Amino acid sequence: MNKPVITIARQYGSGGRTIGEMLANRLNIHFYDKELSKVASDESGVNEAMFVNMDERITAGQFFNFNKKAYSGQVANPGSEDFISDDNLFNLQAKAIRTIADRESCVIMGRCADYVLADYPNVLSVFVHAPHDFCMEQAAKKHSMSPKELEKYIAKIDRQRSGYYKYHTGNEWTDARNYDLCLDSSKLGFERCVEEIIAYMNVRFAE
């Protein structure tokens, strides 16, 4: 198995992040989520806060521009006025993701990593989803909100992630064709999801 990289996209409340952490621990590899902002900052010299501010969401202006050209790998020059634009910040983060994938086996959460690394033969892309009631139940463990507030919060996060994915890739976030493996965490449980991903890896990357 040549340095496998697992990308995980997830609905809010589905437990995708927990599954990613469990998988990384099981495989003894690095887990990248919010740390990606720091990696992109260290590589580009751009303040980390700028990456955090655009993390898995798009601005109001971007929301109405879904017809723009999807990410293709280009990065603006440091002297360019576009260097710290939202689009180029995504490109810089994507460059950091590719640098990570070149050097190590790891688990990468979100950030359109499945699309950014689509040309990598050692990448396994996963989408974790679950029914509304399960996501509500899981989210309630982290947030002290009324059911109505929580429902709105989950819908907002998923809308942001969906818009972010659509804007930067041109594809629909929940389209199963974007991923190698789609898992319903409510039916399998987190541990079984980890086992299914590893089983798929063993078949996919068998030597």
Side-chain angles (χ1 to χ4, degrees):
M1 199 180 294
N2 182 28
K3 294 192 292 188
V5 174
I6 303 92
T7 69
I8 300 181
R10 72 288 183 210
Q11 287 184 306
Y12 192 84
S14 68
R17 189 180 195 281
T18 300
I19 291 167
E21 289 180 310
M22 291 170 63
L23 178 65
N25 288 334
R26 183 90 161 264
L27 298 175
N28 195 28
I29 58 178
H30 204 97
F31 174 79
Y32 288 96
D33 188 6
K34 297 185 183 302
E35 184 183 349
L36 284 169
S37 294
K38 184 179 187 308
V39 175
S41 174
D42 290 344
E43 282 198 2
S44 65
V46 176
N47 191 299
E48 182 180 350
M50 299 193 71
F51 290 101
V52 173
N53 288 337
M54 56 80 67
D55 193 26
E56 291 199 287
R57 54 182 173 268
I58 57 175
T59 63
Q62 290 173 316
F63 187 82
F64 295 102
N65 190 27
F66 285 124
N67 293 322
K68 75 115 181 177
K69 187 177 179 181
Y71 163 80
S72 58
Q74 292 92 349
V75 174
N77 295 322
S80 167
E81 61 182 19
D82 293 328
F83 189 66
I84 57 173
S85 67
D86 287 341
D87 286 355
N88 198 57
L89 288 174
F90 176 86
N91 295 343
L92 290 169
Q93 182 174 260
K95 182 180 178 182
I97 287 172
R98 292 177 70 88
T99 298
I100 290 168
D102 283 333
R103 76 173 181 232
E104 65 180 288
S105 181
C106 60
V107 175
I108 301 177
M109 298 301 301
R111 281 83 182 176
C112 306
D114 60 285
Y115 187 88
V116 170
L117 300 176
D119 59 329
Y120 278 57
N122 61 318
V123 170
L124 168 61
S125 57
V126 179
F127 185 78
V128 180
H129 60 97
H132 174 267
D133 288 349
F134 182 86
C135 291
M136 285 283 288
E137 180 183 337
Q138 294 300 310
K141 296 176 182 179
K142 294 184 177 181
H143 303 285
S144 298
M145 300 179 183
S146 69
K148 189 172 183 179
E149 290 173 329
L150 192 60
E151 188 169 34
K152 287 183 178 179
Y153 181 76
I154 292 173
K156 175 185 175 183
I157 298 299
D158 281 348
R159 187 167 59 250
Q160 288 175 341
R161 290 176 178 172
S162 178
Y164 178 87
Y165 192 90
K166 176 73 171 180
Y167 180 81
H168 290 295
T169 72
N171 297 329
E172 296 298 332
W173 179 54
T174 56
D175 189 337
R177 292 171 294 183
N178 298 326
Y179 310 98
D180 297 307
L181 191 62
C182 295
L183 300 172
D184 184 337
S185 55
S186 72
K187 293 179 179 178
L188 294 175
F190 298 164
E191 185 62 42
R192 282 293 301 278
C193 282
V194 171
E195 292 174 4
E196 289 297 324
I197 294 170
I198 292 175
Y200 190 105
M201 289 173 61
N202 289 336
V203 173
R204 166 84 177 274
F205 302 123
E207 296 182 356

